[in-house]
Amino acid sequence: MLLRICSAAIFSLLFATSAQAQAQLPLESMQIRSLFRMPEPRDEFVRQCAPHMLGRWAHPEAVCGCLHDHAAASVEDPDLRQALLRGISETGVPTIETAWVPASKQGEIGPTFTKIAKPTLQCMFEPMASN
């Protein structure tokens, strides 16, 4: 019992000291820490997608962002959405490899493409209309 009380006291003291030290960090230190954050999933998708769109579109980042926000967002199933995002980011065109989707959902690949056809075409040919 005494061991538990001592452990709790030491833990509380360490936690309080750590919190106080973090509160006193200078602004520059916090800015450096923000540089090491993981990229946002949308930003990472656009970064991977845009090189495939160069040469095809005047604003590849806008096309990739639109595909992420409108075409892929219309797919409710997380497995199919992830496979679609992977296909676009790896090839620059909406594609889904059957190996990327569980066998039980492979029959939904065709209907998924039907569902994303209009928003995909809008993103690629009418970017201002879909934003």
Side-chain angles (χ1 to χ4, degrees):
M1 180 70 169
L2 182 61
L3 179 62
R4 287 183 185 171
I5 293 172
C6 290
S7 297
I10 291 171
F11 177 75
S12 297
L13 181 62
L14 289 174
F15 180 74
T17 304
S18 173
Q20 183 181 9
Q22 283 185 348
Q24 294 175 353
L25 284 176
L27 181 60
E28 296 84 17
S29 177
M30 288 190 287
Q31 289 172 341
I32 290 171
R33 291 167 81 204
S34 68
L35 293 175
F36 294 107
R37 287 188 199 158
M38 293 297 291
E40 295 292 322
R42 182 187 187 277
D43 295 340
E44 184 63 17
F45 169 80
V46 172
R47 186 189 68 74
Q48 291 177 355
C49 169
H52 297 289
M53 298 294 181
L54 285 173
R56 289 190 230 171
W57 311 106
H59 304 285
E61 295 86 5
V63 174
C64 291
C66 183
L67 288 172
H68 182 276
D69 296 346
H70 298 283
S74 68
V75 179
E76 294 90 15
D77 184 270
D79 293 324
L80 289 167
R81 184 182 325 104
Q82 194 63 30
L84 177 63
L85 289 171
R86 179 179 176 183
I88 295 170
S89 67
E90 289 183 3
T91 65
V93 295
T95 184
I96 298 176
E97 296 288 330
T98 54
W100 300 341
V101 180
S104 61
K105 297 180 183 178
Q106 290 178 359
E108 294 298 313
I109 294 174
T112 298
F113 282 119
T114 300
K115 185 174 194 169
I116 68 161
K118 184 177 179 180
T120 298
L121 290 174
Q122 287 175 330
C123 286
M124 292 182 164
F125 298 105
E126 304 171 18
M128 294 302 142
S130 62
N131 286 333

